């Protein structure tokens, strides 16, 4: 199951992307009988929000979000027009904002960036069954942080 959609240029693109991700996972549950935990629903919306926020902030031009069910995960991919790789800042619990990439990497089963001639694709895989990411922190430690800023 796959779904790709261009996102609008306004601030509503972030909320729209979260809504589309929730709808996609709900359809996977009901139409394909895919097991999708509540944790996977929450984390997918968080990852979508962070990746779309990052693309809106750092990449002028068009943006496309793609969602795919791959094995036992949902792959969230955001295509944007910037060729620069996102870089996480060093961990700093006192910094307000700027933790987006750090959070995505902590909750994703797999994270990668693919540079293309006209931009990049940033992809994070979220486990559908809801188990913590391999080597990642537990969701409670991620959710206890302030999640207010975009990715670096």
């Amino acid at each position: 199951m796959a779904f790709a959609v261009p996102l609008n240029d306004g601030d509503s693109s972030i909320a729209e992307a979260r809504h589309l991700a929730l709808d996609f996972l709900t359809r996977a549950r009901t139409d394909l009988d895919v097991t999708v935990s509540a944790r996977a629903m929450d984390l997918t919306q968080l990852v979508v929000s962070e990746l779309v926020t990052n693309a809106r902030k750092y990449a002028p031009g068009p943006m496309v979000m793609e969602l795919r069910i791959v094995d036992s995960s949902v792959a969230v991919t955001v295509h944007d027009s910037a060729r620069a790789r996102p870089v996480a800042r060093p961990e700093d619990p006192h910094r307000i904002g700027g933790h987006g990439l750090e959070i995505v990497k902590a909750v994703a089963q797999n994270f990668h960036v693919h540079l293309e001639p006209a931009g990049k694709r940033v992809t994070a895989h979220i486990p559908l069954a809801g188990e913590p990411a391999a080597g990642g922190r537990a969701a409670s430690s991620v959710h206890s942080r302030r999640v207010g800023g975009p990715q670096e």
Side-chain angles (χ1 to χ4, degrees), residues 17-63:
R18 282 192 307 263
H19 176 75
L20 291 168
L22 186 60
D23 185 57
F24 174 80
L25 291 176
T26 300
R27 284 186 293 118
R29 246 188 202 166
T30 57
D31 297 352
L32 301 176
D33 201 30
V34 173
T35 300
V36 181
S37 71
R39 182 175 191 273
M41 291 276 212
D42 290 344
L43 291 180
T44 298
Q45 289 179 87
L46 173 64
V47 167
V48 163
S49 183
E50 294 297 340
L51 295 182
V52 172
T53 296
N54 195 47
R56 289 251 317 112
K57 184 172 182 179
Y58 297 107
M63 172 182 17

Side-chain angles (χ1 to χ4, degrees), residues 53-133:
T53 296
N54 195 47
R56 289 251 317 112
K57 184 172 182 179
Y58 297 107
M63 172 182 17
V64 175
M65 179 180 70
E66 179 183 342
L67 302 166
R68 291 176 290 121
I69 301 295
V70 179
D71 299 324
S72 60
S73 69
V74 58
V76 176
T77 301
V78 175
H79 303 257
D80 67 42
S81 61
R83 287 193 39 88
R85 291 183 179 274
V87 178
R89 294 181 195 172
E91 237 179 270
D92 179 357
H94 303 291
R95 182 177 67 235
I96 297 175
H99 294 280
L101 187 57
E102 187 181 329
I103 291 168
V104 170
K105 286 182 171 185
V107 302
Q109 193 173 45
N110 185 359
F111 174 85
H112 61 278
V113 178
H114 178 77
L115 296 181
E116 298 177 333
K120 69 179 169 301
R121 285 180 301 170
V122 179
T123 303
H125 292 257
I126 306 302
L128 291 171
E131 66 271 2

